Each structure stands twice: as structure tokens, then as C-alpha cells.
Amino acid sequence: MAKSLHDRLSQVLIRDKLVTETQLKHAKEIQFKEGGSLSGILIKEGMINEKDLMSVMSRAFSIPAINLSSYKVEEDSVSLIPEKIARQYLVVAICKLSNTLIVAMANPLNILAIDDLKILTKLNIEPVLSTESDILQIIDKFYVSKKDTVQDIIKEGEESQLEIIGAPKEEFDISDAVLEGETAPIVKIVSLILLEALKKRSSDIHIEPEENDLLVRYRIDGSLHEVLKIPKRNQNAVLARLKIMAGMDITDFRLPQDGRFKVKIQKKEVDFRVSALPTSFGSKIVLRALDKSNLSIGLDKLGFSEYVLKKFKDAVVKPFGMILVTGPTGSGKSTTLYSIINQLNTLDRNIITVEDPVEYQVEGITQIQVNSDIGLSFASGLRALLRQSPDVIMIGEIRDSETADIAVKASLTGQLVLSTLHTNDATTAVSRLVDMGIEPFLIASSVILIVAQRLCRVVCKSCKGGKAKGCDTCGSTGYYGRQAILEVLNIDDKIREMIIDRASVDDIKSYAISKGMKVLREDAMEKYKRGVTTMDEVVRVTPGE
């Protein structure tokens, strides 16, 4: 039976000229070597798109097709099939009619799957056809947001796996919320939220009060995922617990607050930087996970191309000058600068940073936290640290003309200065400094390297980035981790002349490209060609280029 259906699909594809016989033969060879469905291979190899294949299968086997993206799925029906089975067979229950369950399937010809579903649900199964990607979207949307009740999360983890260390002394008589926050279930829930976030490689945890519940979302590889909804009655206790851990004022609900704490998991310490923001429904808390182990890998292991890596290495060995890393928030600028700092962190160097906030606390480095409440700005902190005879200075961000002026002059008087700017590309950083009032001849004399940076998601090695499939390792996204995409502007003598002559950004960029500079899109395309990332990611992180 399976063979005749398989052959029928092949015949229809050839008849309708959707694939050639050569393509079909190639797909079958891949299937023989690697396994998997023929339809999935045809899509993965780009021989046919999902929508066309679904239309063909619907006509060939007289099975109705459904567009799940525009269909309101019944949540009670979805829950009749466990997530593990749904992912295994790529199925989702969309509707229950009397004793019949309507199930959307990527392969409605899978008799074994239908039989298993009948036994599992004790219902008659009526298959309809849908695309793998649409089915996975429903699975991700439903199971990720609904499976993790508070009770489930408590069952899945052990609090003892996570140790809170370095937290301030806790006082328990401030309010009822504090007392509730210290009860065993709340302590355990908060600890397990942190533990699960670290297990899932989350960079940020968003605890967001809503009208009827408390939403928990993790940012993984740059994208937010809803993971849990906590009952509204537990909101104050959960928020109180987090504020106490971060050393915040539990009685102040009107003003933003910042804090931090440290956890230890499997002999590894992770800092959490915590921000609380008042909202209509309570304090929204965002925790940024800062894993110092990410900084010790060195420039060689950050995924830079050989061209980029050479430019960096040539620049960081210079005794003075300025290196600028540009890009939007969340583009990995700080990680790049800290990796450089970590490489330069030797006993014979005096390294001082001025940051807002201090992202990573690094042994052997003097770090200054900006505090505007007491008048400690980037500029005043920078002036003070210059009297400490530094060899290397890192400035978290150049935000104003005063900071820019001091940084430029420091780089001209014997210090290697590292900093960031918010610009879209490398060459625009020159005009940004000019706009801040820095004379072109000072820029030309001080800046040695400007880097524009973005982060692209990396194809999961376990499932090889199967767009429709994914796997447990990557959370069914097809991606695991991120790498930097960079555009490197090396300031040579010609560019120095152009800066002094106030040449346009476009002219400087055109010259740099003629000398071998690769723009962001080119660096991204190289990663795509090597199979590191996907074309979707290339377009997403380098739009308009």
C-alpha cells in the first residue's frame, strides 16, 4: 500500500511538471541514504515549495487540505495529543466532532500514525493535509505556552541544582509579599524559572505582569518564546522574591530599579543583571544572564571570518589608538569588546573600564559603574581613570561629545581605547564623531579600526537546520546559537586623508570596498554558503543592503 501511494505521488509530480525525473531520482537517492519522507526531501532540497506539494497531494489522494495559518484551532482538541506524539508524527488535532477527531497531518498517508492516534485518543481519526511548517507553528504556539504550568515546572526540576550566591541579606518583615515570596513553593518556582532559562540557553528572562496572570518569556538566540503563565494571585510573591534576590527596594513600586545577583549551577557561576520597570499591572522584571565563560573563548572562537580575525588581531596589538564597535542594542558589541579585554588581560597591563552598567565582572580589571545620581558620568569617570595610568581603556558607550573628546585624546596620548557607538555601518561612525564635535584631524589620528556588528542564528548541527522540523536540541527552531556578522573598516593612510578632507561617508565606503572591505551582507552570505546560517537569517539581519 505504502509503495503504491509513494509511486502515485511521484507520477503526479512528474505529470504536473513540478519536478523533473532527474530531481525525483536525486531526492529518492537522498531518501535511501538518509531516510525521511520523500516530500520532506523535495522541500528541503528546494525542488518544490510546501504549498504546491500540499496541493498536489490533496488532488492525488483526495484528501482535503487546510491552511492552518488562517484556521482557529480548538485548544481543547490540541491537548488530546501529547506534544511528543505531535512532534514525532508532525500532527496536530484541530477539531473534535462527536467521536471523530480532525487531525492536520504533514503526511496523511502514514497509516501507523493514524492507528496510534486512534489507540491514544480512543476516537476515530479524520486526517486533513497541512504543511509541516504550519503544523510546527501550532505545536510551538500551543505546547510551549500551555505545557509548563507551575506544577509541571516544579515536577521537572530540582531546586538543589541551582544555588543562589552573593545575594544581599534578606529581611522578611517588610510586607506580606515578602513573607509569601519566601515560602517554599515560591522560592522553588523562581529557582526553577532561572534553572530552565539557563538550560535552554536563554540570554534574557522577561517576567511580565498582565491583567489576568504573570507571563514568563525566554529570549533564546535573539527571539522571545513564551514558556509559562503564573496565576495572578502569585504575582506579588514571585516579584518580591526576585527583587529581594537582586537587592532592590521591595516597598518602591513607582520608580525603575536595577540590581544583580549570582547563581551557581554545575560549578559554573552566572551573573544576573536585573531591571524592574513599573507598569499598569505591576513591576515588569527583566533578567539578563551574563555567563563569563563566554568571554574566555578568545577571538579565534567567536566565529569571525579569517579576513575579519586578521584585522582584529593587527589592531589589538597596537599600543595606542581607538577601536570602535558599532551596531544596535543586542548585536553582541559588549561580548566582542570583553573578549578583546580578556585576551589583553595580563599582569603587565593596567586595564580600566567605565560602563553603564557593568556587564561582566572580570578579575584583574578595574571596572567603574556609571552613576548619574552622584554625578559619576562616562566623562567624569573617564577623566578620573586617566589619572590611574591605564594601558587599556574600555568605555561602555560613547554617548556625548564630552566623552568622545576625552576618549579620542586618551587614544592619542598612549592608551588603547575600546568603545561602542550606535550606528548602522562602520563608515557612518566617522560622521557620528564629527557630529559630536570631534575635529576630523583628531579622528583620523586616533581611530585605527571601526567594526559594524550583527548577530545571526546558526543552523542546528543536530538537525542540520531543517526548517520544518527542528529537534529537541534546538527547541524545534532549526537554529542553535549565534555568530557575529561583521563589517570591518581598517583606517589606512588614504582613509585618514579622506576624513581630514571631510569626504562623504559614501566615498569612504566605496574606497574601502575597493580595497577589500566586505559589507555586512557579504560576510553574512559567506556564512550562508558555508552552511553556518540560512538565507532567511541573512535577509533578516542585513535588511536593505
Side-chain angles (χ1 to χ4, degrees):
M1 180 68 173
K3 184 177 179 182
S4 62
L5 292 174
H6 181 282
D7 291 343
R8 178 80 183 276
L9 175 61
S10 301
Q11 289 169 4
V12 174
L13 288 170
I14 296 293
R15 185 195 68 198
D16 291 358
K17 298 182 179 178
L18 291 168
V19 297
T20 65
E21 291 188 6
T22 302
Q23 288 176 316
L24 193 60
K25 181 181 177 183
H26 178 60
K28 288 178 179 179
E29 288 173 352
I30 294 174
Q31 184 185 33
F32 179 76
K33 291 177 184 176
E34 301 179 8
S37 67
L38 179 64
S39 58
I41 293 168
L42 290 169
I43 293 167
K44 186 177 178 181
E45 293 296 311
M47 299 177 189
I48 190 172
N49 64 52
E50 282 188 305
K51 302 294 183 187
D52 287 344
L53 183 61
M54 186 170 71
S55 177
V56 168
M57 291 180 70
S58 179
R59 293 196 310 271
F61 308 119
S62 300
I63 297 174
I66 186 170
N67 181 3
L68 282 181
S69 60
S70 59
Y71 183 88
K72 187 174 169 117
V73 175
E74 295 179 2
E75 293 185 356
D76 290 343
S77 299
V78 178
S79 62
L80 293 173
I81 300 176
E83 180 184 6
K84 184 177 179 181
I85 300 297
R87 291 192 185 278
Q88 178 184 342
Y89 290 130
L90 280 173
V91 299
V92 62
I94 61 174
C95 178
K96 181 175 175 287
L97 301 171
S98 187
N99 291 324
T100 299
L101 189 63
I102 311 299
V103 179
M105 306 180 68
N107 180 13
L109 310 177
N110 189 335
I111 306 301
L112 289 176
I114 293 173
D115 287 344
D116 282 353
L117 293 175
K118 279 182 182 177
I119 295 168
L120 180 69
T121 63
K122 297 181 173 56
L123 296 168
N124 296 320
I125 304 299
E126 184 69 34
V128 295
L129 184 63
S130 186
T131 65
E132 290 186 7
S133 57
D134 281 353
I135 289 172
L136 277 169
Q137 273 195 334
I138 298 295
I139 290 174
D140 289 340
K141 179 181 177 182
F142 176 83
Y143 291 102
V144 170
S145 62
K146 300 297 179 186
K147 75 168 183 177
D148 288 329
T149 64
V150 173
Q151 290 77 17
D152 291 335
I153 237 181
I154 289 174
K155 288 177 185 176
E156 287 176 3
E158 289 296 330
E159 184 187 354
S160 59
Q161 290 179 273
L162 184 103
E163 177 188 355
I164 309 297
I165 58 177
K169 182 180 179 181
E170 299 176 3
E171 300 291 342
F172 304 131
D173 58 353
I174 299 172
S175 67
D176 290 340
V178 175
L179 289 171
E180 282 185 51
E182 297 311 313
T183 60
I186 297 301
V187 170
K188 198 165 191 178
I189 288 169
V190 171
S191 295
L192 290 172
I193 287 172
L194 301 178
L195 180 64
E196 285 299 303
L198 296 175
K199 284 181 178 178
K200 293 179 178 179
R201 305 176 296 107
S202 174
S203 61
D204 301 89
I205 307 169
H206 290 241
I207 315 289
E208 304 169 276
E210 295 184 323
E211 185 173 6
N212 300 313
D213 43 43
L214 184 65
L215 175 65
V216 180
R217 295 194 291 171
Y218 294 160
R219 188 179 295 280
I220 302 170
D221 294 335
S223 298
L224 277 171
H225 301 269
E226 181 180 325
V227 295
L228 175 65
K229 284 190 175 180
I230 297 172
K232 190 73 174 179
R233 64 180 179 272
N234 299 124
Q235 173 177 305
N236 289 342
V238 170
L239 297 180
R241 173 64 181 167
L242 287 166
K243 284 187 173 182
I244 289 169
M245 290 168 62
M248 295 180 180
D249 183 353
I250 192 74
T251 64
D252 193 344
F253 301 98
R254 299 168 300 168
L255 296 174
Q257 295 187 65
D258 294 302
R260 66 191 308 149
F261 62 87
K262 188 182 295 184
V263 303
K264 189 172 185 179
I265 177 172
Q266 296 175 350
K267 298 182 180 180
K268 182 172 72 173
E269 291 185 3
V270 179
D271 286 330
F272 278 97
R273 195 179 78 216
V274 187
S275 170
L277 183 70
T279 73
S280 302
F281 301 117
S283 295
K284 173 179 177 178
I285 292 182
V286 176
L287 302 96
R288 167 68 60 87
L290 304 168
D291 186 353
K292 286 191 284 190
S293 64
N294 292 335
L295 306 181
S296 59
I297 59 177
L299 288 172
D300 296 275
K301 296 182 181 178
L302 285 178
F304 294 172
S305 64
E306 290 185 14
Y307 168 82
V308 169
L309 190 59
K310 184 179 185 307
K311 296 296 183 185
F312 260 109
K313 287 186 173 181
D314 289 346
V316 299
V317 296
K318 294 184 179 180
F320 60 88
M322 181 182 287
I323 297 173
L324 295 172
V325 181
T326 77
T329 300
S331 58
K333 302 187 298 295
S334 295
T335 299
T336 297
L337 288 186
Y338 270 106
S339 296
I340 296 172
I341 286 289
N342 195 68
Q343 186 165 314
L344 297 174
N345 188 13
T346 57
L347 290 174
D348 61 340
R349 285 194 180 96
N350 180 18
I351 302 175
I352 307 180
T353 75
V354 54
E355 307 168 66
D356 183 22
V358 172
E359 295 261 0
Y360 298 90
Q361 293 170 335
V362 183
E363 188 176 349
I365 294 174
T366 303
Q367 296 173 276
I368 301 172
Q369 167 74 57
V370 167
N371 188 340
S372 57
D373 292 339
I374 60 172
L376 180 56
S377 64
F378 275 110
S380 60
L382 194 48
R383 281 198 204 91
L385 72 82
L386 286 172
R387 293 192 286 272
Q388 298 283 317
S389 186
D391 299 300
V392 180
I393 300 168
M394 188 182 88
I395 307 166
E397 182 185 347
I398 294 178
R399 298 178 180 173
D400 53 63
S401 56
E402 189 177 11
T403 304
D405 182 63
I406 299 169
V408 166
K409 289 175 180 174
S411 69
L412 292 172
T413 55
Q415 283 86 31
L416 180 64
V417 177
L418 313 172
S419 190
T420 70
L421 274 177
H422 282 277
T423 62
N424 289 330
D425 60 14
T427 48
T428 305
V430 174
S431 63
R432 179 63 54 83
L433 290 174
V434 172
D435 292 341
M436 287 181 172
I438 308 300
E439 290 293 334
F441 76 90
L442 290 175
I443 300 171
S445 303
S446 60
V447 180
I448 55 178
L449 193 74
I450 305 176
V451 180
Q453 180 166 317
R454 301 289 187 277
L455 292 176
C456 72
R457 291 183 293 176
V458 174
V459 168
C460 174
K461 293 180 180 178
S462 296
C463 61
K464 298 181 181 177
K467 287 183 186 180
K469 289 187 177 180
C471 63
D472 290 339
T473 301
C474 63
S476 300
T477 64
Y479 300 100
Y480 188 93
R482 292 186 290 175
Q483 280 191 11
I485 292 170
L486 299 108
E487 173 181 296
V488 181
L489 178 66
N490 184 48
I491 310 298
D492 63 14
D493 290 340
K494 176 62 178 177
I495 291 179
R496 291 190 181 92
E497 289 178 14
M498 296 177 79
I499 293 172
I500 293 170
D501 294 338
R502 296 179 182 268
S504 70
V505 168
D506 289 340
D507 287 344
I508 294 174
K509 189 170 187 174
S510 295
Y511 167 77
I513 291 172
S514 73
K515 290 297 181 179
M517 183 182 82
K518 295 175 182 176
V519 298
L520 287 165
R521 173 62 64 86
E522 287 180 282
D523 196 40
M525 284 299 296
E526 282 193 5
K527 283 183 165 53
Y528 166 68
K529 290 173 183 175
R530 298 202 315 268
V532 173
T533 190
T534 63
M535 183 56 72
D536 287 343
E537 278 295 283
V538 171
V539 174
R540 184 182 70 85
V541 299
T542 60
E545 289 201 10

